[in-house]
Amino acid sequence: MASTTITEAEGKEVTLHIPNLVNVFKDGSIERLQNSPLVPPSLDGSSPVSSKDVVISNSPSISARLYLPTKFIQHNTHAHRVPILVYFHGGGFFFESAFNELHHNYFNSFLSKAEADILVVSVEYRLAPEIPLPAAYHDCWQALQWVVDNSNDDPWILKHGELQRVFLGGDSAGANIVHNIAMRAGVEALPNGVKVFGAFLSQPYFFSSKPIGSEAVEGHQETPPYLVWGLVYPNAPGGVDNPMINPLAADAPSLANLGCSKIIVLVAEKDFVRDRGVSYYEAVKNSGWHGHVELYEAQDEDHTFNIHSPQSPNALKLMKRLAHFILH
């Protein structure tokens, strides 16, 4: 449960408090209560995975961290191209980063432990509430355009990326972004005629004005997912029933328009948005969409367990499942 009562924190008046997530102060400043430290990329060649940072756009400010198995850089060959995963991090649209320790460790583990020969482009998009939604969606679409446009001149993408196998992926709010980018890809062309091949949505952050499944009826409007949406997109038409957060809303565009060929929805048994992911999977399956959709559930796990504990047995199982989804 979350609270909107006005309290005092460090001498400043708090107008919105979402436990363990954020304090919003009357003067407009905010205090993010979760954030792992930023860490540099690794290009020294001593680890099995190399990473580097790139600037996608200066105006607006969009960047990314790229990950590639070091063996491809050392061999410096065009002979072997690999799928490209364009990834959007989670954090409720208002915290975390493509450059933080959590995601850096996760991708080092993913590419090495799952033996995944994949080029990852982990996107750093602008965060709300300073830059409210829908800005993050536009940033991520621009990042995808940059990846598939040969004019980006990035040697890793040009030498090793396979543009016929471009995937979208994300966790939590990032999985929400995946859905919205895949919908846009269904109606708007990408450079060079590139099509998104597949997408994974890991514990997607979807919500609505009405509780579903095991969600509590009492206090629904005080739950973190409800309050976070109001914080990050205060002017959303339809509020928490806007199609960007509620893809099953009555006025949402048909899921049959999803612009990719296959999708996997990943949920966790103890996750507070678990039922949302399952409902999304069922809706895609029954929408008339012509692609292949599947559901994977991690038992005895909570929200974004795979990001926070990438060495755990269930996280490793999930990594291998994702690697198989992308590589086969």
Side-chain angles (χ1 to χ4, degrees):
M1 299 293 288
S3 171
T4 54
T5 57
I6 296 176
T7 60
E8 293 291 328
E10 299 181 357
K12 294 201 294 185
E13 194 174 343
V14 177
T15 56
L16 175 65
H17 170 63
I18 307 177
N20 302 315
L21 289 177
V22 66
N23 286 320
V24 181
F25 299 101
K26 191 173 183 179
D27 65 4
S29 62
I30 80 164
E31 178 187 16
R32 292 169 170 88
L33 304 179
Q34 288 189 40
N35 255 336
S36 67
L38 302 184
V39 295
S42 174
L43 254 180
D44 61 12
S46 63
S47 66
V49 180
S50 293
S51 53
K52 66 174 182 176
D53 296 341
V54 298
V55 173
I56 292 173
S57 167
N58 288 309
S59 182
S61 179
I62 312 168
S63 51
R65 179 160 293 177
L66 275 58
Y67 299 84
L68 185 67
T70 303
K71 62 186 179 184
F72 295 114
I73 301 168
Q74 292 172 336
H75 295 160
N76 196 27
T77 175
H78 291 252
H80 191 72
R81 292 184 176 271
V82 298
I84 302 171
L85 169 60
V86 183
Y87 181 85
F88 312 120
H89 70 79
F93 301 100
F94 71 93
F95 70 102
E96 296 295 12
S97 165
F99 307 133
N100 70 12
E101 187 174 44
L102 273 178
H103 288 91
H104 187 75
N105 291 343
Y106 175 76
F107 281 115
N108 282 330
S109 294
F110 176 44
L111 295 189
S112 59
K113 301 288 187 183
E115 299 179 350
D117 287 348
I118 297 167
L119 169 58
V120 176
V121 181
S122 182
V123 178
E124 180 76 345
Y125 52 86
R126 291 172 296 165
L127 296 180
E130 292 88 348
I131 310 293
L133 293 177
Y137 296 121
H138 299 318
D139 291 354
C140 291
W141 177 256
Q142 188 170 339
L144 175 61
Q145 289 180 305
W146 176 87
V147 168
V148 302
D149 188 343
N150 290 335
S151 66
N152 68 48
D153 290 331
D154 181 81
W156 288 12
I157 296 175
L158 292 177
K159 288 183 180 180
H160 305 295
E162 179 53 76
L163 292 180
Q164 281 69 49
R165 291 187 293 166
V166 173
F167 288 78
L168 306 175
D171 62 279
S172 194
N176 173 297
I177 295 174
V178 168
H179 160 74
N180 284 287
I181 297 300
M183 290 295 293
R184 186 166 176 177
V187 296
E188 190 172 332
L190 287 165
N192 299 316
V194 172
K195 305 288 186 183
V196 175
F197 188 71
F200 74 79
L201 294 82
S202 183
Q203 301 139 75
Y205 170 30
F206 296 134
F207 217 61
S208 71
S209 60
K210 292 184 171 62
I212 67 167
S214 61
E215 294 171 359
V217 175
E218 189 71 24
H220 183 70
Q221 295 184 4
E222 300 299 314
T223 56
Y226 201 108
L227 294 174
V228 164
W229 186 250
L231 170 68
V232 299
Y233 199 174
N235 298 317
V240 78
D241 284 316
N242 183 281
M244 287 182 157
I245 187 70
N246 180 12
L248 310 187
D251 60 345
S254 172
L255 295 173
N257 295 327
L258 282 161
C260 57
S261 298
K262 64 177 186 173
I263 290 173
I264 186 168
V265 182
L266 311 151
V267 299
E269 182 184 18
K270 298 180 179 179
D271 186 6
F272 60 94
V273 290
R274 180 252 179 209
D275 293 340
R276 298 285 171 176
V278 174
S279 294
Y280 177 81
Y281 158 76
E282 295 287 352
V284 172
K285 187 172 66 172
N286 296 319
S287 68
W289 178 63
H290 295 301
H292 173 74
V293 61
E294 54 190 293
L295 180 72
Y296 177 99
E297 180 163 14
Q299 301 299 313
D300 300 317
E301 296 291 357
D302 212 331
H303 194 61
T304 61
F305 73 96
N306 52 312
I307 303 296
H308 287 87
S309 303
Q311 305 299 332
S312 70
N314 278 341
L316 292 172
K317 281 176 61 178
L318 181 53
M319 288 177 192
K320 290 179 179 178
R321 184 66 192 85
L322 285 176
H324 184 271
F325 175 78
I326 293 172
L327 294 169
H328 297 90

